[in-house]
Amino acid sequence: IQFPAQAAISSDTRLPYQQELSGESGLVKRSEEPLQKVSIVGLFRLASGQDFGRICTAVAYSLAFGVALPLQYFLLRDAMAALFAPNDDGTLPPVQGLHAHRSMLVRRNCFRYLVLAAILFVTKAAGFLGIETAARQQGLTLKRSLFAKVLSKSPSWHAERNAAELADQIASDVQAFQAGIGEHFTNLLRVCAIVCTSVVISVINEPRIGLLLACSLPVTAYCVSATKEALENSVRVQQQAYARAGGVAGTALSMARTVLAFNGQRHEVAKYEAL
């Protein structure tokens, strides 16, 4: 598996750097072959039984959030109808008069809105906590596997590689993997549920507008997919550059500490001024 930005995952069952660490010699190299996608379940093959329970719970809450959010349309429609309801004697606002029925409608809609707000808060919070906890545990499992693979290599293998760059690349890949199977995954589910529910509500209330919205979805999906691919390529290049820069910075700091430990600051300053 390789983990570029957004946790794109290949079909190889080995973990990131297990492919790279399996070589006999040479510097760390990434495969030039295009990445192959796996199933949704394959994204969570590092999850334990408890993690799968958290993931299923988070998925259910995320879908519930996506379905419940567009229902605010009905509440808003009923609230506007209640605010402009006639008085008890049939006169219309702003004419003063008894309005017990209108007050009852307003209170009922306020109560429904509070219930919906509580449902949205609970589903969003529970979904976030569940998926983030599961993603964090899978990230720890991945780190243990990677470091165990690195420690199993011989000293000659380590001598041929930049330890700082390798550590930075492992950290960035694990972070990208954890982000991809974390809140980004549940956000995708919420957006899909919101879009589907909104289309259904639009078709029920105004079929022509609903059909127009449904026809525009493929174009929108294509634009989003193209933008996502461009961002992934850009982030992948940035991660590789950051890993190399981190390796250089780590080496420079290590050399500076060595100079300081031997009290060689003046000697190094003199060499620099002599250049």
Side-chain angles (χ1 to χ4, degrees), residues 34-112:
L35 299 179
Q36 298 180 1
K37 306 295 181 176
V38 297
S39 63
I40 297 298
V41 179
L43 292 172
F44 305 98
R45 59 177 170 271
L46 297 178
S48 62
Q50 292 182 349
D51 293 334
F52 269 116
R54 297 188 185 101
I55 293 169
C56 294
T57 303
V59 168
Y61 278 121
S62 299
L63 294 176
F65 179 90
V67 172
L69 186 61
L71 298 180
Q72 294 183 86
Y73 163 78
F74 297 105
L75 294 181
L76 181 61
R77 183 189 62 183
D78 295 341
M80 296 302 296
L83 289 174
F84 295 98
N87 298 322
D88 295 344
D89 56 2
T91 58
L92 296 175
V95 177
Q96 298 294 329
L98 298 176
H99 48 80
H101 179 68
R102 184 168 70 242
S103 299
M104 183 271 295
L105 293 177
V106 172
R107 287 194 297 269
R108 184 178 64 184
N109 280 279
C110 289
F111 175 75
R112 291 177 178 176

Side-chain angles (χ1 to χ4, degrees), residues 129-200:
L129 293 176
I131 199 67
E132 283 298 313
T133 303
R136 191 181 307 111
Q137 294 298 325
Q138 293 174 78
L140 292 175
T141 303
L142 180 58
K143 286 181 180 179
R144 295 190 190 100
S145 177
L146 295 178
F147 285 122
K149 191 68 176 180
V150 170
L151 293 176
S152 66
K153 292 299 178 180
S154 62
S156 60
W157 185 93
H158 289 277
E160 296 173 350
R161 288 160 175 81
N162 189 324
E165 181 177 345
L166 182 62
D168 289 342
Q169 190 64 62
I170 290 177
S172 62
D173 283 353
V174 172
Q175 184 179 5
F177 168 72
Q178 185 173 328
I181 63 172
E183 189 180 8
H184 293 338
F185 177 71
T186 52
N187 284 341
L188 177 62
L189 295 178
R190 293 188 192 102
V191 170
C192 293
I194 290 172
V195 170
C196 295
T197 307
S198 300
V199 171
V200 172

Side-chain angles (χ1 to χ4, degrees), residues 251-269:
T251 302
L253 290 176
S254 177
M255 295 174 66
R257 286 195 295 267
T258 302
V259 171
L260 183 62
F262 288 94
N263 196 22
Q265 300 93 314
R266 295 182 179 179
H267 178 70
E268 292 297 327
V269 171

